[in-house]
Amino acid sequence: MRVGKDLVAAAATPLVLGILAEGESYGYAILKRVGELSGGELTWTEGMLYPLLHRLERLGYVEAGWRTSAEGRRRKHYRLTMEGRAALAEHGEQWRVVSEALRQIWAETDVHPRHLAAGGALG
Amino acid sequence: MTGRHSPSGTESGVEARIASWRGFVGRRAAISTADVDELEAHLRDQMGELESVGLSEDEAFLIAVGRLGEVDALSREYAQEHSDRLWKQLVAGPTDSDPEGRRGLGVALGLGVAAAVAVKVPALFGIGLEENPEVFVKNLPLLVLPFLAGFFVWRAGVGPGMRARLLAIVGVAVAVSALVLNLYPFGAQSDTAVLAMESATEILAALHLPVALWLVLGVAHAGGDWRSERARMDYIRFTGEWFIYYVLIGLGGGVLLGLTAGVFSTIGVDTETALFSWILPCGAAGAVLVAAWLVGAKQGVIENMAPVLTRVFTPLFAVMLLAFGATAVWQGDARTVDRELLIVFDLVLIVVLALVLYSVSARDPLAPPGGFERLQVVLLGSAIIVDGYVLVAMLSRIGAFGFSPNKVASLGLNILVLVNLVGSLVILIGFLRGRRPYAHLERWHTGYLPVYLAWAAFVGVAFGPIFAWA
């Protein structure tokens, strides 16, 4: 399965903010975390992640700083700010509304994608 | 973690490849140096992980770079977030923060102020824009160009011997021009006439000597290496860009002057004298130097404008010339053409020449022939044919009415430019047929420059005596 481009883009900001809410992190680790969280279904490119991090930094949702790791590697670390937390809460609320609506319509009409996919496979 | 992929390891093949990858990515305008650092850290993390599952350093590098994807795509995505980086900032740009650039601005401003003072010196002797405009205007280039030459010599960074020689060359040229313009007895004949007529040879000298001087300044611009084709082409490029910057500064200056007059008039202060006898001439003189500095400061930062304009206007001028040719043929009689036509056509040919020249200046000589070269052939061909028609008409007029300095000057210029254009056309057709390299066109133009210098100097210096100061 491949998640559509638009959905990946829409989910990117809350996902990054959510990962940073777990603690400060850097680009490579964020990408790894996205892969883990989605069971490998979401694959982000670096060209998507880094400009997004820079935009979040410009908006003031994250702060960035260079740190040197134990093995001497310099990395740019990102940390959630208070504004970022507020934005994350806002995003969470929006996603809750969307997913609740989807859940309801799928439950009521019995057209859950799983059934459709199964039907398609049988037919 | 093992030591083999720590940055402190020896400068292995992989380190060199990472460095070259950094260089490649870092050339993209949208990706800053800090971004490259960040991406490099990412690359190394990725490589570290791949190596920990048993890949070699080289394999890990290849795969990690592959995962980063095409640099074009990466750069596009960075550009969406950092679109400001695509607009190179000249004044606040990083290239400007180096001491050399700052010093260049300082020198240019200093010389600009000196030039501005110089144009006010004649006013001490009663020769100003208000009191004696003709004498003032014809001497204006002589007052300003030495400072520009000084700037060229400073920037060329040549040794003291060459510096003295260059300044001497320019100094002699300026001195000769000054003597010609001010000591020649122009219009001497007119004391026999009832009215003191304007002397045509004087106007011609005032128009041609600055052009000759500008070309002489090319020697200073080249740091004395004026025989070099590259140096001549650089001076042609400089001239085009300088002209554009000067016009732009002039437009800004016009707005400034207009608003100044308007603002002060609302409080009942008349600023006309201050504006026209001080700010206008001093500003125009100083802007020569500032424009020259701008050309040098931004040449590597922003794409040259003159070649862009030639791309836009080459097809339009080709259409205009074809339309003019068709209309003239349709109208018939060539002898009815206006006397002014030759002068207008000199201007047309100069514009066509500039269009060809500035596309030559920006073209990669090794690129294969394309549609634009065919368009240039159309432009050149139509210009040459239409000009031939005009020349025939003018020669018959001269046959009927005789020579005047103006006619000879415009005819001579017309023929010189025509020869230049015919040569370009021949070379360009040879290039399109694959018989000549493009570099010949460049050599033809740079080699032709001394012809213009000789003609401008000849008209400026010799026309007065030849035509008895008419």
Side-chain angles (χ1 to χ4, degrees):
Chain A
M1 187 189 72
R2 261 194 77 219
V3 181
K5 222 175 87 192
D6 291 341
L7 193 54
V8 170
T13 300
L15 204 44
V16 167
L17 291 176
I19 290 169
L20 290 176
E22 298 174 345
E24 75 166 51
S25 187
Y26 55 94
Y28 187 73
I30 294 172
L31 274 197
K32 299 278 293 178
R33 187 84 182 103
V34 170
E36 279 169 31
L37 288 168
S38 65
E41 301 276 15
L42 278 176
T43 46
W44 285 8
T45 63
E46 290 75 8
M48 188 181 127
L49 173 69
Y50 288 107
L52 171 64
L53 285 170
H54 299 166
R55 192 173 81 232
L56 296 178
E57 187 184 354
R58 179 164 54 82
L59 294 172
Y61 295 168
V62 301
E63 287 169 344
W66 290 89
R67 305 239 195 298
T68 308
S69 69
E71 66 266 32
R73 189 164 292 162
R74 279 184 83 235
R75 296 192 184 104
K76 196 174 180 186
H77 283 244
Y78 295 88
R79 196 158 53 93
L80 206 59
T81 62
M82 288 312 290
E83 279 177 71
R85 272 179 213 288
L88 179 58
E90 169 76 29
H91 273 282
E93 191 54 31
Q94 291 176 15
W95 277 90
R96 200 190 54 71
V97 170
V98 171
S99 76
E100 179 61 21
L102 285 171
R103 199 189 56 74
Q104 275 189 39
I105 191 76
W106 287 333
E108 279 171 22
T109 58
D110 202 29
V111 288
H112 193 277
R114 256 189 237 289
H115 298 251
L116 291 176
L122 287 173
Chain B
M1 282 276 161
T2 59
R4 92 199 144 111
H5 44 69
S6 77
S8 59
T10 53
E11 187 71 13
S12 63
V14 165
E15 287 303 318
R17 290 168 82 174
I18 289 177
S20 90
W21 171 83
R22 273 190 67 100
F24 183 63
V25 175
R27 270 202 294 281
R28 304 304 164 120
I31 305 178
S32 73
T33 316
D35 294 344
V36 182
D37 288 342
E38 190 174 27
L39 284 169
E40 186 192 333
H42 185 100
L43 188 78
R44 287 180 186 279
D45 279 332
Q46 180 96 66
M47 284 171 63
E49 190 183 317
L50 289 167
E51 284 172 43
S52 70
V53 297
L55 268 66
S56 77
E57 258 191 337
D58 285 323
E59 288 166 339
F61 173 77
L62 285 177
I63 292 174
V65 166
R67 286 211 185 145
L68 278 175
E70 248 186 273
V71 176
D72 276 339
L74 194 65
S75 150
R76 252 198 309 282
E77 296 191 77
Y78 269 85
Q80 282 179 1
E81 165 61 15
H82 300 286
S83 60
D84 57 314
R85 290 187 189 153
L86 301 181
W87 300 83
K88 301 252 172 135
Q89 300 301 325
L90 175 62
V91 178
T95 47
D96 192 49
S97 54
D98 66 321
E100 183 68 20
R102 287 250 174 269
R103 236 174 37 160
L105 179 58
V107 172
L109 283 179
L111 287 167
V113 170
V117 172
V119 299
K120 288 309 289 178
V121 168
L124 297 177
F125 307 101
I127 302 164
L129 190 55
E130 308 256 275
E131 307 90 329
N132 214 335
E134 279 156 37
V135 179
F136 180 71
V137 167
K138 79 177 177 185
N139 281 300
L140 202 51
L142 306 183
L143 296 169
V144 177
L145 289 180
F147 294 97
L148 185 58
F151 183 63
F152 287 164
V153 171
W154 174 80
R155 206 169 49 183
V158 291
M162 177 56 86
R163 205 179 304 156
R165 210 171 326 152
L166 292 176
L167 290 176
I169 292 171
V170 175
V172 167
V174 170
V176 169
S177 307
L179 293 177
V180 166
L181 284 176
N182 297 300
L183 294 184
Y184 267 15
F186 288 117
Q189 233 187 9
S190 64
D191 52 15
T192 58
V194 183
L195 288 166
M197 297 240 302
E198 267 187 348
S199 162
T201 49
E202 181 176 16
I203 294 173
L204 285 173
L207 285 174
H208 282 75
L209 286 175
V211 174
L213 273 182
W214 183 269
L215 290 170
V216 169
L217 248 58
V219 178
H221 185 263
D225 188 19
W226 58 274
R227 281 198 180 82
S228 146
E229 225 176 278
R230 301 268 100 220
R232 286 188 192 179
M233 196 39 101
D234 278 341
Y235 192 55
I236 291 171
R237 292 190 185 106
F238 170 85
T239 304
E241 297 300 302
W242 176 87
F243 179 73
I244 290 169
Y245 278 95
Y246 196 70
V247 168
L248 290 179
I249 293 174
L251 289 175
V255 171
L256 177 68
L257 286 186
L259 284 179
T260 309
V263 167
F264 277 94
S265 73
T266 59
I267 53 169
V269 176
D270 179 23
T271 50
E272 201 180 321
T273 316
L275 289 181
F276 284 96
S277 67
W278 284 93
I279 296 173
L280 180 62
C282 293
V288 170
L289 272 299
V290 173
W293 169 77
L294 272 176
V295 175
K298 65 96 233 173
Q299 72 180 19
V301 188
I302 305 171
E303 186 170 16
N304 288 349
M305 269 317 286
V308 177
L309 293 179
T310 58
R311 287 263 160 178
V312 175
F313 282 104
T314 296
L316 299 177
F317 267 92
V319 169
M320 183 273 266
L321 284 170
L322 289 174
F324 176 80
T327 317
V329 169
W330 180 64
Q331 275 202 335
D333 196 1
R335 281 162 303 171
T336 59
V337 291
D338 191 71
R339 210 161 60 89
E340 304 293 315
L341 191 60
L342 196 57
I343 293 169
V344 173
F345 246 78
D346 283 354
L347 295 179
V348 169
L349 289 194
I350 288 171
V351 168
V352 171
L353 177 64
L355 288 175
V356 174
L357 204 51
Y358 284 103
S359 59
V360 173
S361 76
R363 194 182 187 281
D364 175 9
L366 298 178
F372 190 71
E373 279 72 41
R374 290 191 187 90
L375 194 61
Q376 283 185 314
V377 168
V378 174
L379 175 74
L380 281 169
S382 51
I384 291 167
I385 291 168
V386 174
D387 190 59
Y389 171 83
V390 173
L391 273 181
V392 170
M394 284 325 284
L395 285 174
S396 62
R397 279 189 73 92
I398 288 176
F401 300 100
F403 289 96
S404 76
N406 276 335
K407 271 186 207 152
V408 176
S410 54
L411 192 65
L413 178 62
N414 197 297
I415 289 169
L416 287 185
V417 181
L418 190 63
V419 169
N420 198 344
L421 293 184
V422 170
S424 309
L425 183 63
V426 170
I427 294 170
L428 211 51
I429 289 174
F431 172 65
L432 283 175
R433 289 181 166 182
R435 295 204 186 130
R436 279 165 175 274
Y438 195 80
H440 280 192
L441 191 57
E442 200 173 321
R443 198 172 308 150
W444 166 246
H445 281 289
T446 52
Y448 206 78
L449 282 183
V451 177
Y452 291 119
L453 172 59
W455 175 253
F458 176 70
V459 173
V461 175
F463 263 40
I466 289 175
F467 289 97
W469 322 111

